[in-house]
Structures are given as structure tokens and as C-alpha cells.
Amino acid sequence: MPERPATPHTGAERYLAIRRPVEVGYWLITYLLSGLGNSVTTWMDVERLGLDYAAWEAASWEGSSAIALLMLVPAMVWFTARWPVHLDNWRRRLPLYALASVVWSVLHVGLMVAIRKLVYAWHGSSYVFGDAFVYEYLKDARTFLGIVVVLHGYRLLVRRLQGEASLLAAPDDDSAPVEPVERPSRFLVR
């Protein structure tokens, strides 16, 4: 008789068993709700101001942004994992993250404009982006920062959930440490 796989017993084990679908679901639901909510409020603004735009245009503006952001999530996950920010390195990482925010914004705007051009062409019209990059960057920089905070915070929670341990820091006073301060690259506790 074949052995049954061990079933997770703790809440942490149960969560870690479904971690990837939860993560993917989080990003899909976040950007679906964002795209829908922003489309509705943009359409309400168009109606309130009496602007001459079709509902599909408002939906394409907000939907294209949400789709572009969703397409960039894997790059953000990779980037923040490759160059994480910690209390001891944030000053060194800040220029890298500032540059990354510009690159990320260029990619977001490029994807967003390409999607809009396709939607407008499908409707027999043409989309012109204009010179609104600074406006878009100001919005994108905040979104970039929000995603960085979410990813780093989530990773911290998962590490704590997995029971990650770390060595104690050197003593605050001037006394010599009781044990060597040299740290291993990884420290795993079972």
C-alpha cells in the first residue's frame, strides 16, 4: 500500500503549501479591482465634466494600465529579490531603486500605450499619447514604491512564518562579544 503524503499540520505549513496560487491570485485580484474601479471613476469624471469620450476609451485607459502593471509584476519580484533593501543597505540601494523606478515607468508607459493603440485601432480610431511622461512617472513612482513595500513586507512575513532565525547583533556596549561576530551566509533552525 503506497504511503500517503504528509499533510501539513500547522497554519504555516498549510499556507506554504498553497503559497504560489495565493500570490498569483493576490496580483490578479489587485489589478482586476484596480482596473475596474479606476475605469468606473474615470467614466464618472468624463460624464460629470461632459467630455466627449466613449465608455470603451475610459475602460481602455485604466484597463491598459492595470494589464501593463500586472505584466511587470514578475520583473518586480525578481528585482526586489535580487537587490533587497535592508536597514543596513538602504542608502546604497536608494540610487539603484530610483533608477529602477524610471526604467519600470518607461516599461509601464510603453506597454500601456501599446495596448491602448491596439484597442483604439480595433475601434477604428487612433490613440495619441502626447508628452505626459512626467505626469505618468509621478504616478508610477508611487506605485513602484508601494509594490516594493508590499514585496519586502510579504517576504519578511513569509520568512517569519517559516521560522527564520538570525544571529544576535554585536553588543551595544564596548565589551567584547562572547562569541565570534563573523556570521555564516545562512542559518537554518529546524
Side-chain angles (χ1 to χ4, degrees), residues 27-138:
W27 292 109
L28 288 172
I29 290 168
T30 295
Y31 287 119
L32 174 68
L33 293 177
S34 174
L36 287 172
N38 289 342
S39 293
V40 169
T41 57
T42 298
W43 181 246
M44 290 168 72
D45 287 341
V46 166
E47 288 282 298
R48 183 176 46 83
L49 297 170
L51 301 175
D52 188 28
Y53 292 108
W56 67 264
E57 289 178 286
S60 74
W61 303 333
E62 300 304 334
S64 64
S65 178
I67 291 168
L69 290 171
L70 187 58
M71 292 170 69
L72 292 172
V73 167
M76 286 295 290
V77 169
W78 172 82
F79 175 79
T80 58
R82 174 67 178 88
W83 292 285
V85 176
H86 302 290
L87 291 175
D88 64 339
N89 73 1
W90 72 268
R91 285 186 179 100
R92 289 190 316 273
R93 292 279 198 251
L94 194 58
L96 176 64
Y97 273 71
L99 176 62
S101 74
V102 174
V103 171
W104 184 81
S105 183
V106 167
L107 291 171
H108 174 240
V109 170
L111 288 167
M112 182 176 70
V113 169
I115 293 167
R116 289 177 187 178
K117 285 185 177 287
L118 288 171
V119 171
Y120 271 70
W122 185 53
H123 283 278
S125 186
S126 62
Y127 177 78
V128 178
F129 177 67
D131 59 354
F133 182 75
V134 172
Y135 168 80
E136 290 296 333
Y137 177 73
L138 292 174

